[in-house]
Amino acid sequence: STQSTWGPVAIKWNPSERQQLVPMIFTVLEAVKDVLERQPYPCLDIKSPVCVLGDVHGNFDDIHFLTEAFNVDAAAPAPAGASIDPGAVAISTNALQFTSVSHAESVPLPLLRDACSPRSVRVPQEPRTLPITEPKRFLFLGDYVDRGQASVEVAVYMLALILRQPEAIFALRGNHETMEINDLYGLKEECESQFGSVHGSRIRRMLNEVFALLPLAARIDRHLFCTHGGVPRPPVVEADDRISLLDRDYEWKGFRNLHGFNPNLDSVTAYRRQMDYFYDLLWNDPAPATAVLDRQGFGESGRGVGCVYGQDAVDEFLKKGNYRLLIRAHEPKAIGFQIQKKGRVITVFSSGQYNQPTDVAGALLIHGESLIPVTRECSAGL
């Protein structure tokens, strides 16, 4: 097999291009604030069909490919390897591979678990028509910046898509969409190296102001719960408000306005509950088999922030919210996705070559009762 030439690369702008780009970036970032401020917060409700993407981490090549591959807007040119049919998307085998996976209730759990293995993801011999029809929507689950080499381009591109199609393109906040994290893991350095200290500092500040407006969760067709990290912990003393809190937007308004682009509210007791919920949604992970869990199914996280959640915690949260599945991001997966916790948690990761050259970018295509993990090929031998 031969390794293809695509992958996460930096975008080099010459001085003339950069001079034209900077005011465009400022315009997009200022304009998109109005769109995001009108959205519900902290939780969106979205109808399928929808394409869900996980962490991108500055990989412009993958986010551009995946958004173009599944975009049925006639104004957008079809990428190489994808042909657009009226009402559906036909994907040729040299571009994508996919496997059909239904919800846990309608498919044997072994099949769901086996879908985590690259061997179960077979490339068909002929192009197949995927059951995804108009209207087309996208949901991004966070972590657009840091670690990769094109964080600014990824973030601005995604925000420009929202600005262009605010009723079809939605984005959630990830843990890297906070200044306390992206100051340390790449965005600050990239802004300054690409655009200089003056313009770079302004771009970084404006990006983080926009990130603070991104919702923390979304529900697809009311029964698929989506967030960046995962299951939040219940309050220690008070009644369990984890479901109702998602719809009490009036209680979040002050929090959203107060914390701005750097959620450092440790001294603000009025928003302590929102702060705990915020960090849990953005940082929590499924618990490994060896984790020591409390009676509610939560345990200590090796990240030093948030916690891990086990099967009991997942089942209880989904039952309370009348949700079928939890769809999240936050962790790299070599084949772009992983199905965990007896088929009730799906992790999607949309940045290829993240840890290894053979790592692929994944996405989830959701239409009613159909859920199809899709990965972009990076090697003919996969």
Side-chain angles (χ1 to χ4, degrees), residues 240-316:
D240 191 342
D241 62 351
R242 290 175 295 171
I243 306 303
S244 61
L245 193 58
L246 292 169
D247 294 314
R248 302 207 299 266
D249 55 347
Y250 57 91
E251 293 187 16
W252 288 88
K253 185 175 181 180
F255 169 87
R256 191 185 194 189
N257 293 338
L258 181 62
H259 78 162
F261 53 82
N262 192 8
N264 184 14
L265 290 182
D266 289 343
S267 62
V268 184
T269 56
Y271 297 102
R272 170 62 62 187
R273 178 64 185 127
Q274 285 86 347
M275 196 74 236
D276 291 342
Y277 205 86
F278 173 92
Y279 275 113
D280 278 354
L281 288 177
L282 269 60
W283 282 93
N284 290 359
D285 295 299
T290 56
V292 177
L293 305 178
D294 61 24
R295 60 184 179 85
Q296 295 178 311
F298 294 91
E300 184 177 346
S301 172
R303 296 179 185 269
V305 182
C307 65
V308 295
Y309 46 89
Q311 188 69 54
D312 290 346
V314 170
D315 292 343
E316 178 69 13

Side-chain angles (χ1 to χ4, degrees), residues 29-249:
L29 296 182
E30 193 60 43
V32 79
K33 288 182 182 179
D34 292 334
V35 174
L36 296 176
E37 286 173 345
R38 292 195 297 268
Q39 290 184 341
Y41 187 95
C43 188
L44 300 170
D45 278 298
I46 302 171
K47 293 182 179 180
S48 66
V50 59
C51 179
V52 180
L53 274 68
D55 297 35
V56 180
H57 279 306
N59 187 331
F60 184 81
D61 189 74
D62 277 330
I63 189 175
H64 183 260
F65 177 90
L66 290 170
T67 53
E68 289 290 287
F70 300 111
N71 190 351
V72 294
D73 185 348
S83 59
I84 306 301
D85 291 335
V89 181
I91 304 300
S92 71
T93 58
N94 65 354
L96 294 170
Q97 55 186 6
F98 59 90
T99 184
S100 295
V101 179
S102 301
H103 292 307
E105 289 79 3
S106 60
V107 72
L109 292 178
L111 176 59
L112 284 170
R113 287 194 291 269
D114 289 344
C116 303
S117 166
R119 291 184 178 182
S120 71
V121 184
R122 298 300 184 188
V123 181
Q125 296 299 314
E126 300 294 336
R128 293 277 299 277
T129 299
L130 303 181
I132 302 295
T133 58
E134 293 189 83
K136 186 64 63 182
R137 298 180 182 90
F138 284 89
L139 174 63
F140 299 91
L141 298 183
D143 277 15
Y144 316 108
V145 301
D146 293 340
R147 303 193 186 278
Q149 301 184 67
S151 291
V152 174
E153 290 86 352
V154 164
V156 174
Y157 172 73
M158 182 199 68
L159 294 170
L161 291 178
I162 294 175
L163 196 57
R164 179 185 178 188
Q165 296 179 284
E167 302 302 320
I169 312 295
F170 304 94
L172 305 183
R173 193 174 185 179
N175 63 303
H176 281 261
E177 278 71 62
T178 59
M179 186 171 281
E180 60 186 337
I181 298 300
N182 60 49
D183 261 6
L184 301 175
Y185 289 95
L187 180 62
K188 179 180 180 180
E189 181 180 353
E190 181 185 317
C191 286
E192 293 179 354
S193 64
Q194 282 275 48
F195 303 101
S197 59
V198 176
H199 288 322
S201 177
R202 184 182 175 190
I203 289 172
R204 179 174 59 92
R205 177 181 61 82
M206 291 183 71
L207 277 170
N208 279 288
E209 288 173 348
V210 171
F211 293 157
L213 301 176
L214 296 176
L216 310 180
R219 292 173 292 223
I220 299 175
D221 297 335
R222 298 293 298 184
H223 60 252
L224 302 180
F225 184 77
C226 306
T227 190
H228 182 71
V231 178
R233 290 166 287 188
V236 176
V237 178
E238 297 86 356
D240 191 342
D241 62 351
R242 290 175 295 171
I243 306 303
S244 61
L245 193 58
L246 292 169
D247 294 314
R248 302 207 299 266
D249 55 347

